[in-house]
């Protein structure tokens, strides 16, 4: 179970890195567009604008896909935790309670 969570975390990191790279590309293209506005014709401006709008749409769709993937993984983790607590209630609640009691007893001696 833990290995699967680490693998999913790695996949999310890869998607996040790709998304950040895409967004940086959109920002760089927008900067280029702003620099070209001063000395360009209307046709060049329109072509560049269309290209940037397409990249922005792609970045938005990837961002939405990443958001959905993160939400799905969070739900999977919550479900796995809930299942573990149901199957092992003494481990989930008993061990931390005993550890807290031991710490309390050790601290109360001082």
């Amino acid at each position: 179970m833990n290995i699967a969570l680490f693998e999913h975390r790695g996949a999310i990191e890869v998607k996040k890195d790709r998304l950040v790279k895409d967004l940086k590309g959109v920002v760089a293209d927008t900067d280029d567009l702003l620099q070209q506005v001063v000395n360009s014709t209307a046709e060049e401006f329109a072509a560049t604008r269309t290209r940037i709008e397409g990249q922005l749409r792609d970045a938005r769709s990837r961002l939405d896909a990443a958001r959905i993937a993160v939400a799905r993984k969070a739900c999977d983790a919550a479900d796995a935790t809930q299942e573990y607590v149901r199957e092992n209630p003494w481990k989930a609640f008993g061990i931390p309670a005993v550890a807290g009691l031991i710490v309390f007893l050790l601290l109360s001696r001082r």
Side-chain angles (χ1 to χ4, degrees):
M1 182 170 81
N2 289 338
I3 294 171
L5 290 175
F6 287 125
E7 289 174 358
H8 292 303
R9 185 178 300 160
I12 290 172
E13 287 294 321
V14 169
K15 288 180 181 180
K16 181 190 81 164
D17 292 342
R18 190 175 344 143
L19 179 64
V20 168
K21 181 181 174 186
D22 289 344
L23 290 175
K24 285 181 180 180
V26 169
V27 169
D29 288 344
T30 304
D31 187 42
D32 290 343
L33 176 63
L34 290 173
Q35 291 175 3
Q36 290 177 5
V37 167
V38 176
N39 298 323
S40 68
T41 65
E43 292 173 0
E44 293 171 341
F45 177 74
T48 305
R49 181 177 176 204
T50 302
R51 181 173 51 91
I52 290 174
E53 286 175 346
Q55 290 176 342
L56 189 56
R57 270 192 307 274
D58 291 344
R60 283 182 186 152
S61 68
R62 286 192 180 124
L63 180 62
D64 192 43
R67 181 189 57 82
I68 290 169
V70 168
R72 188 175 305 135
K73 298 303 176 192
C75 287
D76 291 345
D79 290 343
T81 303
Q82 185 176 11
E83 181 180 331
Y84 180 81
V85 170
R86 282 186 185 158
E87 291 176 0
N88 305 297
W90 288 108
K91 287 182 183 178
F93 297 111
I95 293 173
V98 170
L101 180 62
I102 292 171
V103 170
F104 174 74
L105 291 174
L106 291 174
L107 291 176
S108 66
R109 285 185 169 189
R110 291 182 182 196

